[in-house]
Amino acid sequence: MLLVFIPSHTVAQTPPLEINIVTGNETGEYYSIAKDLEKLARTKNLDLDIIPTKGALQNVDNVFYYQSVALGITQGDILAFLNTFANKDEEVRRQAESIRVVLPLYKEQVHIITRQYIKSVEQLTGKRVSIGESGSGTSTTAATLIYQLNINPKKLETLDIKRGIDALRKKEIDALFYIVGIPAQVLQEQIFPDDNFHILPLILPSQPDDEFLAKLYSKAVIPAKTYPWQTDKVETLSVQSFLFTVAEENCDRVTPVVKLIRENLSWLKENGDPVWKQVNLKDLSELDSTRTSKCAA
């Protein structure tokens, strides 16, 4: 006789911890590095849900307003932008005071892409310029630099990067801004040598009143041949990107991601997006402790 034992109860498995993170456009680096984390999280019983957005500025709104969103990725000048306007808007002031850095990520380089006849940023005055999609970090950085460098374009467009490249190719615009870590896959794949585009050099002004810019941006170089269509190295500026949360967030949905990155950074540098190679978690010690999340410890 075959005896079959039927258990009176089954042992329930612990469901994966669900964590939402807002990223950026699906063609951008924020989305790409978040997908790396999503892949890694599956092996650690974490359910990391990646939410595409317009970018850094929208991410600040989403983490602040939606309790279901614990984490986002943004740029250092976005936080400075909010602080600058905090005294003019109570809601913006609350946002600015709430943002907390969880981990520093990588530097994002300013790409100003034009056709060859434009040789300097000063020549963008009177031209048609795309500053990136509304709500993106590119749009905020571009607007900040245009204002601080006294550039007066004829017209500003808010095009995402693929539409911007197409518009530049069709001569509907004269230049576009794109703020991204190098090498940017979309710039490698969507621009060709025959387009005859180049990246404008961008250097901080040396006047005594440039302290605002100097705090936000650091000198950077885009090495020659970073892109198939770029033959020479280009001096430009960079801005730091961060993983962030809000002061009120429960660490239960933040600390697991911090641990995931800290314990697996070597794997991410070896197997993930190339920008992971630029991540230095020691940079966290250089940040203002009052702006650092308690969950980052």
Side-chain angles (χ1 to χ4, degrees), residues 148 204-215:
Q148 293 291 331
L204 281 176
S206 57
Q207 292 87 350
D209 61 352
D210 70 352
E211 184 178 0
F212 176 79
L213 287 177
K215 286 182 177 180

Side-chain angles (χ1 to χ4, degrees), residues 3-23:
L3 298 179
V4 179
F5 294 94
I6 302 176
S8 59
H9 66 277
T10 58
V11 178
Q13 291 185 340
T14 303
L17 178 63
E18 183 176 344
I19 302 171
N20 293 324
I21 177 171
V22 284
T23 58

Side-chain angles (χ1 to χ4, degrees), residues 212-227:
F212 176 79
L213 287 177
K215 286 182 177 180
L216 298 182
Y217 308 108
S218 55
K219 295 180 181 179
V221 173
I222 301 175
K225 299 183 180 179
T226 295
Y227 306 108

Side-chain angles (χ1 to χ4, degrees), residues 61-81:
D61 280 343
N62 287 355
V63 176
F64 182 75
Y65 287 113
Y66 298 109
Q67 291 186 355
S68 61
V69 179
L71 291 161
I73 305 172
T74 196
Q75 296 167 191
D77 58 346
I78 297 289
L79 304 182
F81 177 83

Side-chain angles (χ1 to χ4, degrees), residues 4-5 8 20 22-23 27 33 38 87 92 98-99 107 127 144-145 173 188 190 205 211 217 250 256-257 267 285 288:
V4 179
F5 294 94
S8 59
N20 293 324
V22 284
T23 58
T27 63
I33 65 170
E38 180 185 48
N87 293 329
V92 174
S98 179
I99 298 302
K107 297 279 190 178
K127 300 296 192 296
T144 299
L145 290 172
I173 60 173
Q188 291 177 320
Q190 299 293 321
E211 184 178 0
Y217 308 108
N250 189 318
V257 180
W267 184 92
S285 62
D288 181 353

